[in-house]
Amino acid sequence: MTGSSAGAARTPRSALAELLAGNRRFVSGQPVHGHDVTAAAAVASGDQQPYAVLLGCIDSRVPLEAIFDQTFGSICVIRTGAHVLDRAVCGSIEYVVGQLGVPLVMVLGHERCGAVASAVDTLRTGDRPGGSLAYLVDQIAPAVAEVGADDPRAHPMAVRRHVLRTVAALGADDLLAGPVADGRVDVVGALYDLATGEVTLLDR
């Protein structure tokens, strides 16, 4: 993102428009930034002025900077299994919004998410995984329960429901609720299509 577009993307609406425009470039095969990950590109980015923070999954098929056609310094990225929240994630988002003035938080889910599949399997079989994977499953399980674990479409529906639950949790965060309420910050949910590369916003 150039300096001029960074300056233009300081409201939630303009930040979202910039992100979605980048995704359209990615889908069309005409990215501006592509995969320019050279040291020279990093140096040229100067001081960071991110306009959005993206919370996504660790899935290797969903590289957030690439699918939104973003360059060094333009977005902050946080990735956990199925974009599960914890205190470190929330604190990081609070920092980016409060200290860097970022106006947009996007939670991005994706189809065929393995962590969501684990949660669906756990609720169907009662066989809870061990280790810290259990924590991920426990955080996703309410979304699975809401859509019904035995529903044949439980997995895709739970992916969407989990995104919306994460959006709601961030919107109610102690340090984000005020900026969200007065319109300085927006928290949105979206879904990435692995087959087409397209990002679709989800209705709350």
Side-chain angles (χ1 to χ4, degrees):
M1 186 173 67
T2 64
S4 60
S5 60
R10 302 314 296 184
T11 67
R13 183 185 296 271
S14 60
L16 184 57
E18 177 71 18
L19 270 185
L20 296 180
N23 180 243
R24 288 192 296 272
R25 294 192 301 270
F26 169 76
V27 172
S28 69
Q30 298 178 319
V32 172
H33 305 292
H35 292 277
D36 184 6
V37 292
T38 63
V43 171
S45 65
D47 294 334
Q48 68 164 333
Q49 293 182 318
Y51 69 90
V53 54
L54 273 64
L55 172 59
C57 183
I58 60 169
D59 194 293
S60 61
R61 300 165 295 178
V62 193
L64 300 184
E65 291 89 346
I67 66 176
F68 288 102
D69 187 31
Q70 299 299 304
T71 189
F72 291 92
S74 59
I75 61 174
C76 294
V77 170
I78 302 170
R79 298 174 69 174
T80 65
H83 54 80
V84 163
L85 296 174
D86 62 18
R87 291 183 67 186
V89 171
C90 290
S92 298
I93 294 173
E94 290 171 356
Y95 171 79
V96 171
V97 170
Q99 300 299 314
L100 301 182
V102 167
L104 180 72
V105 180
M106 176 180 280
V107 179
L108 185 69
H110 69 92
E111 298 173 332
R112 305 199 298 274
C113 178
V116 173
S118 293
V120 172
D121 289 344
T122 294
L123 267 67
R124 284 178 174 171
T125 66
D127 186 12
R128 188 168 179 266
S132 295
L133 178 55
Y135 173 80
L136 288 182
V137 166
D138 289 345
Q139 299 307 304
I140 302 165
V144 179
E146 286 181 9
V147 302
D150 293 327
D151 191 298
R153 287 183 45 80
H155 187 193
M157 291 193 301
V159 167
R160 289 160 175 78
R161 175 55 56 188
H162 181 52
V163 169
L164 295 176
R165 287 179 58 87
T166 307
V167 168
L170 286 172
D173 179 273
D174 288 344
L175 296 186
L176 298 179
V180 169
D182 64 22
R184 288 183 288 125
V185 173
D186 198 8
V187 183
V188 301
L191 187 68
Y192 178 68
D193 189 326
L194 292 171
T196 67
E198 291 183 271
V199 171
T200 303
L201 293 176
L202 298 181
D203 293 330
R204 293 182 182 141

